[in-house]
Amino acid sequence: MPDIKLLCREYPFGSGDYRAAVALRFAVLRAPLGLGWGAHDFDAEEESFHLGAFRGDVLVGTLILRPREGGVLQMRQVAVAPEEQGCGVGTALVRFAEEFAAAHGYATLTAHARMTALAFYRKLGYRVEGEPFVEIGIPHVGVAKDLPVTR
Ligand SMILES: CC(C)(COP(=O)(O)OP(=O)(O)OC[C@H]1O[C@@H](n2cnc3c(N)ncnc32)[C@H](O)[C@@H]1OP(=O)(O)O)[C@@H](O)C(=O)NCCC(=O)NCCS
């Protein structure tokens, strides 16, 4: 792990950081599956929150928070750079997302968790909701976590 301190923050849709995030998302979430982008992969991204974990100016982790009905934010496209995986970046970013969501008045975070990443979400206190399903050709399951009210 590099010596540069990790900092989590929001970045604007369409910014240079956003473009770096799209590249990271592609490298981590699509290319290993031999997939390109789908027609609806960027739906609602302008209305979503974009959060990143940075070392200096370098984006090393990203996720999207998409507003859903009923005080719910859906966490999407959670990706950590391969050389940074297993070092706590994902944990720091999801915890930041939870604080961010609660501070913006949302009550619940949900996600479609890849089965391969389910243990990661369980360790962060997410519960499984419903039955497994297939998305982008691989098994997923719904997960959710209720957030403390902070405002
Ligand atoms: C899944 C991912 C976001 C986790 O981020 P990370 O920075 O690697 O995770 P952390 O280092 O914070 O790990 C926290 C804990 O979860 C565990 N964990 C992380 N990824 C895991 C995985 N894929 N499967 C099982 N456990 C995992 C770690 O071992 C660690 O456990 P510990 O606290 O007992 O040591 C990241 O590995 C990643 O981008 N993976 C590829 C893409 C992906 O699967 N994204 C999620 C789509 S739903």
Side-chain angles (χ1 to χ4, degrees):
M1 184 176 19
D3 274 345
I4 306 170
K5 191 175 180 313
L6 191 75
L7 177 78
C8 295
R9 62 170 168 81
E10 185 182 14
Y11 56 84
F13 172 80
S15 63
D17 289 333
Y18 174 80
R19 289 192 292 279
V22 172
L24 181 62
R25 288 159 49 186
F26 187 83
V28 173
L29 297 168
R30 288 296 186 273
L33 301 177
L35 296 175
W37 290 115
H40 299 290
D41 282 343
F42 297 95
D43 285 358
E45 293 215 354
E46 196 164 355
E47 295 78 45
S48 297
F49 303 105
H50 298 269
L51 307 184
F54 294 83
R55 290 200 194 276
D57 293 337
V58 179
L59 180 88
V60 296
T62 181
L63 62 77
I64 298 172
L65 297 176
R66 178 176 179 175
R68 297 292 193 175
E69 288 182 1
V72 173
L73 273 181
Q74 183 189 6
M75 194 158 46
R76 302 180 54 244
Q77 300 277 299
V78 183
V80 171
E83 67 276 13
E84 295 265 359
Q85 290 178 11
C87 302
V89 173
T91 296
L93 187 55
V94 171
R95 289 206 173 124
F96 177 74
E98 291 169 358
E99 287 167 15
F100 180 97
H104 283 74
Y106 290 91
T108 306
L109 273 188
T110 65
H112 293 181
R114 292 183 179 193
M115 281 300 188
T116 52
L118 181 57
F120 168 71
Y121 292 101
R122 303 280 314 230
K123 281 180 179 166
L124 285 166
Y126 286 74
R127 64 180 178 273
V128 169
E129 290 202 325
E131 296 301 315
F133 56 90
V134 173
E135 199 171 72
I136 58 166
I138 58 171
H140 284 71
V141 71
V143 295
K145 183 174 180 177
D146 297 321
L147 305 172
V149 178
T150 58
R151 70 168 202 179

